[in-house]
Amino acid sequence: MSFVEALKGAIADVRQMRTMGEKMQGIQSYARILGSEVVGMVSMVPYACKSLYLYHSVPRYEATRHENMASQVSIVHDKKYGTESTRNVMDIYVPAGCNLEHHNHPVVLFVHGGVWATGSKWHYSPLATRLAEEGIVTCVMEYSLFPSCETSAMVKEVSQALDTVFDMCPTHDGGNVVLAGHSAGAHLSALAILERAIDGARMPDAFVGMAGVYHIHRHFEYEKARGVHRLSTMERAVGGRKKFDANSPTVLLRRATLVAGSSSPTCPMAPPELGVELHGDSIPQRIGLQPPQIDTYSTIYDENMNEGDELRRMSASEVGRLPPIYLMASTCGDTTVPWTESYEFYTMLHACGLSHARLLLYNQAGHGDYATRWQKKKKGTLSEYVHDLPDFAQDFIHIIKAPRV
């Protein structure tokens, strides 16, 4: 949560309250929520110190090439991908011995979260460093934040960054290019690949969404029930309630099924074989979680849709351009974004006949853990050893490195 923007939202809401009693009650409620937010921020100070230290300790890629230091992970700082904002930059973490001009290492573009209003590249140095230690070229981008722009501009920047990653490795041979996002970053990334499908642009080899928001109206109601909807920047960042649908991947896919005249999902085939079992598959398999019939959702997804709006409706062929999609979520450990967000998006993907969508669920994983529970590989550890990481982190690495036809 952006503390400054949350405070602005609380003040604006209290000012609109009519009676002094309502104002006092609102102040008490917001003070309690903001107080817990401050405690959470303080608890993250050790992680921030660790991340900042690691960020500045990784040698520059240019130096490793000239100083015989290619035996360790290196970094390219502030690679530009656009000109609209000073935040149109990314850091590239390079595996030991990798030549960026020609290589066959898998590549991942990571889009951070932060309620569309916060986040910096260095926050994710533990994640990026570990991925690079696993042989993955890891690009961590920044993008323009609210209130300087709305989500529509952020989505375009994610797509620009992805184009830059493609252009950066024109002789890339044999590796994967994966797009991954956490929380708000997963939301922006999902919208980006939907737009690229419509435009016929090049797609990543896979998309991984971690604890993402995919139905804005649904999530707004969830935040409202928690009493944090005025503190959250989501409503303001997307441009107000009239733009909820246009910023909801789940709703856009629902419209695709309506255009196709589909009343039930295409019978899904098995997802692409990765050559390894993923930890996140075990919970859905144990409880028999399957995509329900689309008729079950017809009234749910129509309730916030306006017949006269200008949303572009995706065709079946456009949906078919989407890459394999992996949606990670926590069963009970995440109270910020519930796992049902990922499940409903997964449902709509299958309803559109996208059989290579996969829902991965994890126990004991908090909302921020997907981005923060990473650590460097211990010295002397075997190159393929990843069991010191949480289940979701192991799965993430396996997805990125999996061979694809």
Side-chain angles (χ1 to χ4, degrees):
M1 180 184 293
S2 170
F3 187 82
V4 173
E5 293 301 324
L7 187 59
K8 289 180 182 178
I11 293 173
D13 191 41
V14 170
R15 284 177 176 172
Q16 293 178 357
M17 295 177 181
R18 296 182 179 181
T19 68
M20 182 58 66
E22 289 178 341
K23 291 179 183 292
M24 292 303 298
Q25 186 176 1
I27 290 172
Q28 292 176 357
S29 176
Y30 287 137
R32 184 170 58 253
I33 296 172
L34 291 172
S36 65
E37 182 68 15
V38 170
V39 172
M41 291 168 61
V42 171
S43 69
M44 290 300 294
V45 168
Y47 171 81
C49 293
K50 166 188 168 184
S51 298
L52 189 59
Y53 173 79
L54 179 59
Y55 182 72
H56 289 294
S57 66
V58 178
R60 291 180 177 273
Y61 172 71
E62 296 82 0
T64 63
R65 299 187 67 186
H66 299 291
E67 299 177 13
N68 196 28
M69 298 169 62
S71 61
Q72 58 183 306
V73 171
S74 57
I75 186 172
V76 177
H77 286 288
D78 296 328
K79 169 74 174 179
K80 290 187 177 296
Y81 67 82
T83 59
E84 299 299 321
S85 167
T86 56
R87 288 181 58 87
N88 288 168
V89 292
M90 68 175 78
D91 287 337
I92 305 170
Y93 291 73
V94 186
C98 174
N99 183 344
L100 285 179
E101 295 177 0
H102 183 85
H103 66 89
N104 61 358
H105 291 265
V107 181
V108 62
L109 173 62
F110 180 77
V111 187
H112 67 76
V115 290
W116 303 271
T118 63
S120 297
K121 300 187 281 43
W122 65 267
H123 295 168
Y124 307 94
S125 57
L127 176 153
T129 300
R130 180 56 185 267
L131 291 179
E133 288 178 330
E134 299 298 335
I136 300 166
V137 176
T138 306
C139 307
V140 182
M141 66 174 289
E142 288 184 349
Y143 52 88
S144 300
L145 300 172
F146 178 83
S148 68
C149 70
E150 295 182 359
T151 53
S152 57
M154 302 177 200
V155 172
K156 287 183 174 61
E157 291 178 1
V158 170
S159 195
Q160 286 179 330
L162 187 58
D163 284 333
T164 298
V165 170
F166 288 143
D167 294 340
M168 185 180 66
C169 42
T171 56
H172 188 261
D173 182 22
N176 303 316
V177 177
V178 174
L179 176 64
H182 170 244
S183 192
H187 165 257
L188 298 174
S189 299
L191 286 175
I193 61 171
L194 291 182
E195 287 192 1
R196 293 178 75 88
I198 292 173
D199 295 337
R202 180 178 172 182
M203 283 291 181
D205 294 291
F207 163 58
V208 181
M210 303 173 174
V213 176
Y214 306 110
H215 194 307
I216 300 297
H217 178 71
R218 275 271 196 250
H219 194 63
F220 178 79
E221 293 299 323
Y222 177 75
E223 288 186 336
K224 190 174 181 179
R226 293 176 59 215
V228 299
H229 61 298
R230 297 301 184 195
L231 304 181
S232 170
T233 53
M234 183 182 72
E235 180 183 7
R236 289 170 281 166
V238 301
R241 300 189 191 187
K242 290 184 178 180
K243 296 184 179 181
F244 277 7
D245 287 346
N247 284 276
S248 298
T250 303
V251 174
L252 296 176
L253 283 176
R254 168 59 179 161
R255 287 168 176 261
T257 65
L258 294 176
V259 170
S262 174
S263 60
S264 61
T266 303
C267 183
M269 298 179 293
E273 181 59 52
L274 296 180
V276 62
E277 292 186 4
L278 299 180
H279 296 284
D281 281 328
S282 62
I283 295 177
Q285 289 173 355
R286 287 204 307 269
I287 64 177
L289 195 61
Q290 297 292 333
Q293 295 294 311
I294 190 63
D295 289 342
T296 307
Y297 281 80
S298 58
T299 57
I300 293 177
Y301 291 110
D302 289 345
E303 66 184 11
N304 195 45
M305 292 163 58
N306 302 315
E307 292 299 326
D309 63 26
E310 299 179 354
L311 286 183
R312 182 170 179 180
R313 297 170 181 262
M314 295 183 69
S315 67
S317 61
E318 290 168 344
V319 173
R321 298 190 187 115
L322 293 172
I325 293 176
Y326 301 84
L327 302 175
M328 295 182 170
S330 304
T331 52
C332 301
D334 187 354
T335 57
T336 303
V337 179
W339 68 274
T340 51
E341 283 278 342
S342 295
Y343 176 60
E344 291 177 357
F345 186 34
Y346 161 77
T347 293
M348 295 315 305
L349 289 166
H350 276 268
C352 292
L354 206 69
S355 60
H356 45 246
R358 199 157 172 176
L359 178 68
L360 304 171
L361 297 178
Y362 305 92
N363 287 324
Q364 300 177 339
H367 183 71
D369 289 348
Y370 294 96
T372 61
R373 281 182 61 189
W374 292 81
Q375 60 186 10
K376 290 188 65 177
K377 187 184 286 288
K378 296 179 181 179
K379 292 183 178 180
T381 305
L382 294 175
S383 60
E384 298 298 321
Y385 184 82
V386 295
H387 298 291
D388 57 325
L389 295 173
D391 289 348
F392 61 81
Q394 296 179 41
D395 285 355
F396 188 35
I397 292 171
H398 289 316
I399 291 169
I400 298 171
K401 298 178 74 172
R404 291 179 173 87
V405 179

